[in-house]
Each structure stands twice: as C-alpha cells, then as structure tokens.
Amino acid sequence: MTTSTHDQVHGKTNEVIGKVKEKIGRATDDPNLEDEGTAQRIDGTVEKKVGQVKQVFEK
C-alpha cells in the first residue's frame, strides 16, 4: 500500500470515528467528547486530502 493510499484510508477512518464521537457527545450532553470528535474528524479530513495530493504527485 502506498503512503498516499494509507493516508487516505487512515484519514477516512478518523473522519468516521470523529463523527461517531460527536454524535455520542451530543446525545450524552458531553461537550468534551463532542469537541474531541470534531477535532478528530477535521484531522481525518486533512489527512485524507494530504493523501490525495500525494497521489497526484506519485503519478
């Protein structure tokens, strides 16, 4: 697996986990968990985009 693919997969995983944490935080009225989920989702989005950029330059 290339590094670009790894970044994209890892980024998508973090996006999904972050979304789940956000929803659980909202449902349980836990702002810390919701904030943690938001941060993880954003990190995942950035990591996925980095993987996409790397993929363009690998060609």
Side-chain angles (χ1 to χ4, degrees):
M1 182 180 329
T2 63
T3 59
S4 64
T5 304
H6 180 267
D7 287 343
Q8 289 180 40
V9 170
H10 196 256
K12 184 63 178 177
T13 303
N14 277 331
E15 276 184 328
V16 171
I17 292 170
K19 285 179 186 178
V20 170
K21 284 182 180 180
E22 282 179 300
K23 290 181 189 239
I24 291 172
R26 274 189 228 121
T28 60
D29 198 28
D30 184 352
N32 291 330
L33 184 59
E34 188 176 351
D35 291 344
E36 182 181 322
T38 301
Q40 188 168 4
R41 180 179 51 81
I42 292 169
D43 288 346
T45 302
V46 169
E47 188 172 16
K48 190 170 75 171
K49 293 294 181 187
V50 167
Q52 290 170 348
V53 169
K54 282 182 181 178
Q55 189 174 23
V56 168
F57 287 108
E58 285 177 353
K59 292 181 179 179

